[in-house]
Amino acid sequence: MTDIVIAGIGQTEVGEHWELSLRQLAVSAIQAARRDAGGLRPQALFVGNVLAPILSDQAHMGALIADYAGLVGIEASTVEAGGASGGAALRQGYIAVASGLVDVALVVGVEKFTDQIGPAVDEAWSTTLDSDYESAHGLTPTAQAALLMRRYMHEYQVPHEAFAGFPITAHANGALNPKAMFRSRISAEAYAKAGMVSDPLNMFDIAPYADGAAAVLLTRRELLPEMPAPLVRISGSSMVSDRLAVHDRLDPLAFTAARLSVERACRQAGILPEDVDLFELHDSYSIYAALSLEAAGFAERGQGWRLADPEHIGLTGELPIATFGGMKARGNTGSAAGVYQVVEAVLQLRGQAGANQVPGARRALTQVLSGPAAAAVTHVLEVL
């Protein structure tokens, strides 16, 4: 099979962009990605977005963004898979290019939470849950994660402070990332004193909603002229779904879709998970970081929390995660999160990560989820 390469990457700073619209954020990331790819023009655009119709009163994002990016006439559509929408859009772009029907695909993930404030944002994000049996009864994504964390702590006898290493590591890395929303470190003491949001989740267990856009350009290796930066290919790609409602699952603490997605992507790439040099995981909540590590095979069931050691998961550790701050410090950009992960992984593999560089990184694993792994999208990236 021909190599599918990431020819260009772009991202906006993550934050509360009150002064910018959805289209402006998306186009900014797209322009950066096209510059990075030497002006490469795509034949297809895949937009990862879930909240624009609710928070911004804007559907039909494909046509809108293609227009304002100066790409009128190309194929353009929106891909929606809850919080995994950006990863799902990348998966569709990958399939399109790998099929041979599209030579160059543009993928952009964009989300703008600040078009509304307060309860309206939580209500909008709750539409990614099962409406009839979860959100209609008041369940929110944060409350759902809190229930799973409480169950995990009870089942495996884990104290709350055992999760502190996840946000501590994320904030240490985010402090070095000029695109991150939060660029300050936190301590174990600060974690222990943080205010409770949804027991047992405290303020530092929850990634903040944020505006942002990230973009990548995909093409086949033989179609790409010589590029100055090291080329990065997608050697494995997989998307898996699970039952949407957690109460319908056999085991709520088993992220089955996440496990299968890693297994399938790694099988396609011809590697084992332990062969990667870094893992950009889904850390929207501290408990999801632990469960993702278990699902990916880096820890036994009930033992993922033991990896929450900055010495182990920091930039120079055995398994670096959230290398630019992850969702916790970079900010949770919703549908854009999965594309941000890939942009950051490409920077690592090119050796362009600056102060966030993982030494000698040659292979990366990225995984984005929708909620507690109702959908999971995993990619393996490697330097050619």
Side-chain angles (χ1 to χ4, degrees):
M1 183 176 176
T2 185
D3 287 322
I4 308 303
V5 298
I6 297 175
I9 57 174
Q11 61 177 319
T12 68
E13 185 175 322
V14 177
E16 295 181 337
H17 294 297
W18 303 95
E19 76 288 1
L20 298 175
S21 67
L22 271 168
R23 71 189 76 187
Q24 288 174 310
L25 286 168
V27 170
S28 178
I30 287 169
Q31 290 174 337
R34 293 193 66 195
R35 285 194 301 269
D36 188 49
L40 205 60
R41 182 179 175 87
Q43 290 86 49
L45 166 65
F46 299 93
V47 181
N49 180 270
V50 63
L51 294 181
I54 306 171
L55 294 182
S56 306
D57 297 319
Q58 181 64 66
H60 212 175
M61 293 287 290
L64 177 76
I65 292 173
D67 179 9
Y68 279 82
L71 298 169
V72 171
I74 71 169
E75 175 182 342
S77 59
T78 306
V79 180
E80 188 274 302
S85 295
L90 180 62
R91 168 71 175 164
Q92 293 304 309
Y94 170 85
I95 291 171
V97 174
S99 74
L101 295 176
V102 172
D103 289 338
V104 181
L106 171 61
V107 177
V108 62
V110 60
E111 206 77 81
K112 192 162 194 299
F113 285 93
T114 56
D115 276 347
Q116 295 193 40
I117 60 174
V121 176
D122 287 327
E123 183 177 355
W125 202 230
S126 294
T127 61
T128 61
L129 306 180
D130 185 317
S131 176
D132 289 339
Y133 295 101
E134 291 180 328
S135 56
H137 302 282
L139 189 66
T140 66
T142 296
Q144 184 179 61
L147 289 170
L148 292 177
M149 189 173 188
R150 176 62 69 192
R151 180 64 194 177
Y152 186 96
M153 292 168 60
H154 168 77
E155 187 121 342
Y156 301 112
Q157 295 299 295
V158 181
H160 180 256
E161 61 268 21
F163 296 91
F166 292 127
I168 288 172
T169 300
H171 277 269
N173 295 341
L176 307 173
N177 178 10
K179 302 290 188 183
M181 185 177 187
F182 293 112
R183 304 172 198 170
S184 58
R185 297 171 180 266
I186 64 171
S187 64
E189 292 73 23
Y191 178 83
K193 295 177 181 178
M196 196 62 64
V197 177
S198 185
D199 193 9
L201 294 172
N202 71 23
M203 181 178 67
F204 289 127
D205 286 313
I206 303 169
Y209 297 146
D211 305 334
V216 299
L217 275 161
L218 306 177
T219 189
R220 294 185 293 282
R221 175 65 185 92
E222 64 268 20
L223 301 178
L224 192 66
E226 290 302 316
M227 302 288 287
L231 281 179
V232 175
R233 67 172 179 143
I234 299 177
S235 58
S237 175
S238 173
M239 180 173 179
V240 179
S241 64
D242 199 349
R243 293 176 173 87
L244 180 58
V246 173
H247 64 258
D248 285 333
R249 302 182 193 179
L250 295 177
D251 183 349
L253 297 181
F255 277 11
T256 303
R259 174 179 60 80
L260 291 173
S261 184
V262 168
E263 289 176 358
R264 293 172 187 176
C266 287
R267 186 182 305 119
Q268 180 186 350
I271 68 166
L272 296 173
E274 55 262 34
D275 294 328
V276 304
D277 299 305
L278 60 113
F279 182 23
E280 296 298 342
L281 50 65
H282 192 94
D283 63 334
S284 57
Y285 304 100
S286 296
I287 181 61
Y288 288 0
L291 291 172
S292 293
L293 287 165
E294 293 174 18
F298 293 112
E300 297 294 328
R301 289 289 308 278
Q303 301 299 306
W305 61 275
R306 295 188 182 277
L307 301 185
D309 179 355
E311 294 296 318
H312 182 83
I313 56 177
L315 295 176
T316 59
E318 184 177 344
L319 179 66
I321 68 169
T323 63
F324 281 82
M327 299 171 77
K328 178 61 194 75
R330 181 216 312 124
N332 181 359
T333 52
S335 295
V339 188
Y340 269 99
Q341 290 177 334
V342 171
V343 168
E344 292 165 352
V346 169
L347 289 172
Q348 291 288 358
L349 300 182
R350 287 180 178 178
Q352 298 174 342
N356 293 86
Q357 186 66 51
V358 172
R362 303 285 296 176
R363 184 182 288 125
L365 186 68
T366 72
Q367 183 177 80
V368 65
L369 309 177
S370 182
V377 188
T378 305
H379 287 93
V380 178
L381 309 181
E382 301 185 50
V383 177
L384 270 175

